[in-house]
């Protein structure tokens, strides 16, 4: 397992809201990744698919060099490209029409934007909560007033060094999502494992489940 520090940011993740923010922090702190998150007011105000183009028109997104400077991404000035980098955008699709969903998933929504070639649209149909319920990660719907506390409990930030245990926590999460067609979240998880030169499914049993491991405990 590669534990050496990586100098540059290798991934930036724009998140829809507080639940997506908690999930991304859970993954990148357990794997100790050079990944940064972008949210609106710490996830308290959502970023929606309908408003993504306007959001990406902010000055830090308008050129590759400006983006690289803002988020410490390696930039090849001669060839004008970002090095070993992806921009993930994690969105719910329940707040836009079907045509807008298709444009988002196909990346047509980002036509003409300098970051289009680096963008990986991650979708949750209809939203992250429904995906987590289908995957068995959540067992019941949570009122909006309790979501912040709930997601922080099942997706706790890791402050300890990376270990087999912290890596297997993310393997367990990924195993739960395997086969869930309503989300392509595994694309993000697989990229994260590539950054630490680990195989995502190596520690799984014959059923695709990580042995003898649990995620953060939710409400009883």
């Amino acid at each position: 397992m590669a534990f050496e520090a990586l100098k540059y940011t290798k991934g930036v993740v724009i998140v829809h809201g507080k639940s997506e923010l908690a999930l991304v922090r859970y993954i990148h702190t357990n794997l100790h990744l050079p990944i940064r998150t972008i949210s609106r007011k710490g996830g308290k105000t959502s970023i929606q698919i309908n408003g993504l183009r306007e959001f990406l028109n902010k000055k830090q997104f308008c050129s590759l060099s400006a983006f690289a400077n803002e988020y410490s991404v390696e930039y090849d000035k001669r060839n004008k490209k970002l090095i070993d980098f992806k921009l993930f955008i994690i969105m719910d699709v329940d707040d836009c029409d079907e045509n807008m969903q298709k444009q988002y998933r196909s990346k047509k929504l980002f036509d003409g934007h300098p970051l289009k070639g680096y963008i990986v649209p991650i979708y949750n149909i209809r939203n992250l909560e429904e995906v987590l319920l289908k995957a068995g990660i959540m067992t019941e719907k949570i009122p909006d007033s309790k979501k912040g506390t709930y997601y922080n409990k099942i997706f706790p930030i890791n402050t300890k060094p990376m270990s087999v245990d912290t890596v297997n926590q993310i393997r367990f999460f990924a195993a739960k999502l395997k086969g869930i067609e309503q989300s392509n979240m595994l694309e993000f998880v697989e990229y994260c494992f590539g950054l630490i030169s680990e195989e995502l499914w190596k520690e799984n049993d014959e059923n695709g489940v990580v042995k003898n491991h649990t995620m953060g405990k939710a409400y009883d």
Side-chain angles (χ1 to χ4, degrees):
M1 181 182 298
F3 285 93
E4 65 270 14
L6 297 171
K7 180 179 179 182
Y8 294 102
T9 300
K10 297 299 180 181
V12 169
V13 189
I14 298 174
V15 296
H16 171 72
K18 57 189 175 183
S19 55
E20 292 81 5
L21 181 61
L23 171 56
V24 173
R25 285 178 173 173
Y26 170 71
I27 293 171
H28 83 71
T29 59
N30 271 290
L31 301 181
H32 285 241
L33 299 174
I35 283 178
R36 297 178 65 173
T37 55
I38 298 173
S39 62
R40 184 174 279 155
K41 296 183 179 179
K44 293 178 182 178
T45 303
S46 66
I47 299 172
Q48 300 178 345
I49 291 176
N50 288 325
L52 272 176
R53 278 305 301 238
E54 181 181 356
F55 187 82
L56 290 173
N57 283 336
K58 294 182 178 182
K59 63 180 182 179
Q60 64 266 40
F61 302 113
C62 285
S63 72
L64 295 184
S65 58
F67 183 82
N69 287 334
E70 180 74 18
Y71 296 104
S72 303
V73 178
E74 187 175 6
Y75 179 57
D76 181 343
K77 292 182 180 179
R78 175 176 293 182
N79 296 302
K80 297 182 179 180
K81 65 179 183 179
L82 305 177
I83 306 298
D84 297 330
F85 174 82
K86 289 187 179 182
L87 172 59
F88 291 90
I89 305 178
I90 302 179
M91 291 284 125
D92 292 345
V93 301
D94 59 0
D95 48 21
C96 65
D97 61 29
E98 187 174 343
N99 180 57
M100 185 62 73
Q101 290 180 35
K102 289 180 179 178
Q103 289 191 47
Y104 171 69
R105 292 172 62 174
S106 69
K107 299 195 356 179
K108 186 175 176 59
L109 181 63
F110 311 108
D111 281 355
H113 197 282
L115 287 164
K116 180 182 177 179
Y118 305 93
I119 289 174
V120 181
I122 301 297
Y123 57 86
N124 292 298
I125 303 173
R126 299 179 48 251
N127 52 56
L128 179 61
E129 184 177 37
E130 290 191 11
V131 169
L132 296 179
L133 284 166
K134 190 171 184 65
I137 295 169
M138 291 176 63
T139 57
E140 60 181 348
K141 289 191 174 183
I142 304 299
D144 287 344
S145 61
K146 294 183 178 180
K147 282 184 178 179
T149 302
Y150 181 83
Y151 283 115
N152 287 334
K153 194 162 188 175
I154 64 171
F155 298 131
I157 291 175
N158 175 50
T159 57
K160 299 177 181 179
M162 187 170 72
S163 64
V164 171
D165 181 67
T166 64
V167 171
N168 280 344
Q169 283 194 45
I170 310 306
R171 283 198 174 100
F172 180 81
F173 169 76
K176 288 281 191 177
L177 285 179
K178 197 171 184 180
I180 302 297
E181 297 179 354
Q182 288 78 8
S183 177
N184 65 334
M185 184 69 73
L186 283 180
E187 288 189 36
F188 173 60
V189 182
E190 287 166 353
Y191 179 75
C192 290
F193 268 75
L195 292 178
I196 59 170
S197 301
E198 280 284 313
E199 294 180 14
L200 177 56
W201 308 110
K202 186 172 63 174
E203 299 297 330
N204 295 358
D205 64 17
E206 63 274 10
N207 297 313
V209 177
V210 176
K211 298 178 181 180
N212 300 321
H213 199 80
T214 58
M215 294 174 59
K217 186 179 180 182
Y219 295 116
D220 293 328

